Every structure is written in structure tokens, then in C-alpha cells.
Amino acid sequence: AQKITQTQPGMFVQEKEAVTLDCTYDTSDQSYGLFWYKQPSSGEMIFLIYQGSYDEQNATEGRYSLNFQKARKSANLVISASQLGDSAMYFCAMRGTSGGGADGLTFGKGTHLIIQP
Amino acid sequence: NAGVMQNPRHLVRRRGQEARLRCSPVKGHSHVYWYRQLPEEGLKFMVYLQKENIIDESGMPKERFSAEFPKEGPSILRIQQVVRGDSAAYFCASSPPLADRRFYNEQFFGPGTRLTVL
């Protein structure tokens, strides 16, 4: 079964600083996908970034990048130049092929990020 | 270009009543997923459906919960005889056909339905 671990329940960061949100995963699959979602206080789930297990380069999307270390089974999200609007819950997720359905995602418990002015 | 639509956004039920949650996927998407988010938790996969078929329901509670995705109309998640522990946010996501995806598990999430059981 897949498992996602996010060890930071909450983080406070000064505006304009870079932020790293930790995510480790466990899977026996050779092929898998890793995702990060943002959930603001309004509740919707906003897709941020995706990394395939066979992608050779770390994924980047604007201010978001994914620090993928396959041997360590980690997929940390890096937000550069944080903004007040980045305050939200952040969830790491992966594609499950067992215990989560062939296409269902397995989510971590999330990190509550608060950006301070 | 409408995204995934869910209604109602908020639903209040008394214990023992039925809850019906609706999900209209993005136009052209034939794959639908339902997830449940308990307070202070991440989302948990419940069921994966394609038109008229349940593909994987490994995350569905064995009793009182059912889901369908008919040929016409929205996908429905039905909870019979609700209990307080069913209070949660229920999210629907949809995916385009495989050939149209940017990556294998691309899913578009709806805004969720917040169910409160009194």
C-alpha cells in the first residue's frame, strides 16, 4: 500500500522567503506519480505540480518546484519568494495502485503554511 | 469552460436521513473519483467510476454508501442513514480520456460538498 508522510503540521514563514514543505512516500511500485495540491481556507483543491517517477528532471511550475530524491523517497515542494496569498494547507499525494484504487490518489495529512508580513 | 461542479456546496442532515451529493465532471471527462476529507485530515479515496461502471470502490465504506455515474447526468454519491461520523467534505474529481491527459493521473477537483450531520 502507498503511504505519504508530511512531518510538518504547521509552518510560519516571513514573506518573500523561500519555503520547503517536506514529503516522503512509501510504495513498492516502480512507476508512480507525485503531486502537490494547495487548499486555501475557501476549501477548494488547487493543483500545483506533478512529478513522474521516471522524469529525469525536477518539475517546476512558476514559483513552485519539486525537489525529487528518488533514492530517499522524498518529494519536497519548494516555493520561492513566498507571498501572503500562499498561506494555505498543502497536501502531497501520489497515485495509488493498491489500497487507493488504480487511479485514486493517496494523500498526506497536510502542512498548514502561514506567511507572515 | 466550466470546471468540475458539485452541489450542494453545503448540506445539513439529521441523523438517519439520506444525503445525495452530485458531481458534474468537466465536459468531455468520462472518469470520476470521489474523495472524503475528515476535519484536519488529507483526502481519502473512496471510489472511481467511468460512465455506467464502478471501476474501483475499495475506499467505500461497506454499508450505507453508494455511488453511480449514469450515462446521462451527474455522478451521485449517496449516503443512507447518515451518522455524525459522516460529517466531512466530499470532493469529486474528473479526468479526461487518457490520450488527452498531460500526465497519467491528471485530475481536476471540484469545490467540494461540506456535509454536516446534526
Side-chain angles (χ1 to χ4, degrees):
Chain A
Q2 278 72 33
K3 185 178 180 182
I4 295 283
T5 302
Q6 294 181 253
T7 57
Q8 306 152 309
M11 286 184 72
F12 289 87
V13 173
Q14 285 298 120
E15 190 180 6
K16 299 181 185 175
E17 289 184 352
V19 180
T20 296
L21 303 180
D22 295 340
C23 172
T24 58
Y25 60 91
D26 191 21
T27 181
S28 56
D29 292 325
Q30 297 300 310
S31 176
Y32 50 88
L34 295 153
F35 305 75
W36 278 92
Y37 286 87
K38 173 184 178 181
Q39 187 177 42
S41 57
S42 51
E44 71 268 31
M45 295 292 287
I46 301 169
F47 166 77
L48 295 178
I49 198 165
Y50 168 82
Q51 178 84 43
S53 59
Y54 288 114
D55 293 341
E56 293 185 352
Q57 293 193 338
N58 286 343
T60 60
E61 291 278 357
R63 292 187 300 114
Y64 304 107
S65 60
L66 199 151
N67 184 2
F68 181 45
Q69 298 188 40
K70 195 170 181 177
R72 294 185 176 184
K73 293 189 174 180
S74 75
N76 298 341
L77 177 70
V78 180
I79 307 174
S80 62
S82 58
Q83 302 170 357
L84 295 177
D86 294 333
S87 296
M89 284 291 291
Y90 288 81
F91 292 98
C92 181
M94 73 181 301
R95 180 188 77 203
T97 58
S98 61
D103 284 331
L105 300 180
T106 299
F107 283 81
K109 292 194 172 185
T111 296
H112 189 189
L113 175 65
I114 297 174
I115 307 298
Q116 297 175 311
Chain B
N1 272 338
V4 178
M5 298 174 67
Q6 290 188 247
N7 64 80
R9 295 292 307 277
H10 300 273
L11 182 62
V12 179
R13 285 287 177 266
R14 297 192 180 279
R15 281 179 296 169
Q17 291 184 321
E18 178 180 287
R20 278 182 176 245
L21 287 62
R22 286 177 290 278
C23 169
S24 296
V26 174
K27 187 177 180 181
H29 288 194
S30 55
H31 304 253
V32 166
Y33 315 82
W34 285 94
Y35 295 83
R36 177 166 64 175
Q37 185 180 29
L38 296 171
E40 310 300 325
E41 295 281 330
L43 279 67
K44 294 279 196 288
F45 167 79
M46 299 179 76
V47 62
Y48 163 43
L49 309 105
Q50 293 181 19
K51 285 283 187 182
E52 300 184 277
N53 284 306
I54 296 174
I55 306 302
D56 190 313
E57 55 182 350
S58 57
M60 286 278 270
K62 298 291 183 225
E63 297 176 348
R64 300 188 297 108
F65 285 73
S66 62
E68 63 177 8
F69 188 18
K71 187 176 180 181
E72 301 290 338
S75 175
I76 305 286
L77 179 68
R78 183 181 177 206
I79 311 172
Q80 295 177 290
Q81 299 176 322
V82 296
V83 300
R84 288 217 174 106
D86 297 333
S87 295
Y90 292 83
F91 287 91
C92 169
S94 73
S95 290
L98 276 172
D100 297 336
R101 298 182 192 179
R102 290 180 297 168
F103 44 85
Y104 180 72
N105 261 95
E106 184 174 32
Q107 296 185 12
F108 296 79
F109 279 84
T113 293
R114 269 102 189 135
L115 173 65
T116 301
V117 179
L118 302 178

